[in-house]
Amino acid sequence: MRAPLCLLLLVAHAVDMLPLNRRKKQVGTGLGGNCTGCVICSEENGCSTCQQRLFLFIHREGIRQYGKCVHDCPPGYFGVRGQEVNRCKKCGATCESCFSQDFCIQCKRRFYLYKGKCLPTCPPGTAAQQSTRECQEECEPGPWGSWSPCTHNGKTCGSAWGLETRVREAGRAGREEPATCQVLSESRQCPIRRPCPGESNPSQKKSGKDRRPRKDRKLDGRGEGRPRPAPA
């Protein structure tokens, strides 16, 4: 009578221990089984307090959650330092990565980044850049600058046709920081008529140029040199 009773008690105890062993196995293979960097760690929920300078990252899986201490928060989260615990908080629903709750760094698909916000369409005055998923403000051309000195083969003197250039910088509307828009330029031909140092002015004719003297058909006042009439 005692033997069947003892056997029954052993079977009942084994049945009670089965869920506990199964639960321990699940905890050991999940995130809660990693207590690296933890100050307070439980077998069921993982870390609840981390060492200094580490962030507490809470991973939710269904109705359960596990704590893990990390040096950097994973993508989609940002770190917030507190007096007792440094935590990883989730970015906004449209942010792929963020610097804070109100400032996105990269947006999810079908959204464009504009001044830290992820928008479905870019606001007026901006253009969507598909490669970077950003809204870039359109450029407004500024005034033309002054013409540069006229040069030919790197020289500003001589007698030749050269080129002069002016630029037109394009600034972004409504922005105080330096613009990064395209710089426009144009060139035109210009005459160079200025002697180089040590050279004479090629446009001036030589004043001391020798001239051939005219032949004076009058030899003297007596009319010598005139053709004589034929004798009668």
Side-chain angles (χ1 to χ4, degrees):
M1 190 69 181
R2 291 182 179 180
L5 182 59
C6 292
L7 182 59
L8 183 60
L9 291 175
L10 289 174
V11 172
H13 180 69
V15 172
D16 292 338
M17 291 296 295
L18 183 60
L20 181 60
N21 292 334
R22 184 178 302 170
R23 183 177 59 188
K24 286 183 179 180
K25 185 178 180 181
Q26 291 176 352
V27 171
T29 57
L31 292 175
N34 186 1
C35 292
T36 304
C38 298
V39 176
I40 301 176
C41 183
S42 66
E43 190 176 4
E44 294 183 355
N45 298 322
C47 298
S48 59
T49 304
C50 298
Q51 297 177 3
Q52 195 175 11
R53 297 183 180 180
L54 297 181
F55 292 94
L56 178 61
F57 171 59
I58 303 297
H59 175 74
R60 290 176 173 82
E61 192 175 285
I63 61 174
R64 304 191 62 180
Q65 64 180 23
Y66 306 96
K68 185 178 180 180
C69 295
V70 295
H71 290 277
D72 299 306
C73 296
Y77 292 81
F78 65 97
V80 178
R81 296 192 178 275
Q83 294 182 352
E84 297 181 358
V85 181
N86 303 324
R87 297 182 180 275
C88 291
K89 290 192 175 182
K90 198 170 185 178
C91 299
T94 58
C95 291
E96 187 71 26
S97 60
C98 62
F99 180 76
S100 65
Q101 186 70 37
D102 301 323
F103 197 93
C104 296
I105 300 175
Q106 187 177 1
C107 299
K108 293 183 178 180
R109 293 183 59 185
R110 295 182 293 183
F111 290 93
Y112 298 91
L113 182 65
Y114 180 68
K115 295 184 177 181
K117 304 290 184 182
C118 291
L119 308 175
T121 57
C122 291
T126 63
Q129 300 296 320
Q130 299 296 334
S131 58
T132 59
R133 309 294 301 175
E134 296 181 359
C135 298
Q136 184 177 4
E137 295 188 351
E138 297 177 349
C139 296
E140 289 188 357
W144 284 104
S146 302
W147 289 101
S148 66
C150 189
T151 59
H152 176 73
N153 293 334
K155 298 172 63 176
T156 59
C157 59
S159 178
W161 284 94
L163 285 177
E164 57 185 0
T165 306
R166 64 178 181 175
V167 297
R168 185 181 191 180
E169 294 186 356
R172 290 180 179 173
R175 298 197 62 167
E176 298 178 357
E177 59 265 26
T180 56
C181 299
Q182 182 180 4
V183 177
L184 306 177
S185 65
E186 64 176 359
S187 300
R188 67 181 182 184
Q189 284 190 329
C190 52
I192 301 176
R193 296 289 184 270
R194 188 164 64 89
C196 295
E199 297 180 1
S200 59
N201 193 339
S203 63
Q204 293 181 352
K205 294 182 179 180
K206 294 181 179 180
S207 58
K209 205 171 186 180
D210 295 337
R211 295 182 181 179
R212 297 178 63 183
R214 292 182 180 180
K215 291 183 178 181
D216 194 353
R217 299 182 68 88
K218 284 186 177 181
L219 298 180
D220 52 25
R222 293 178 298 178
E224 294 183 1
R226 296 180 183 178
R228 294 180 181 182

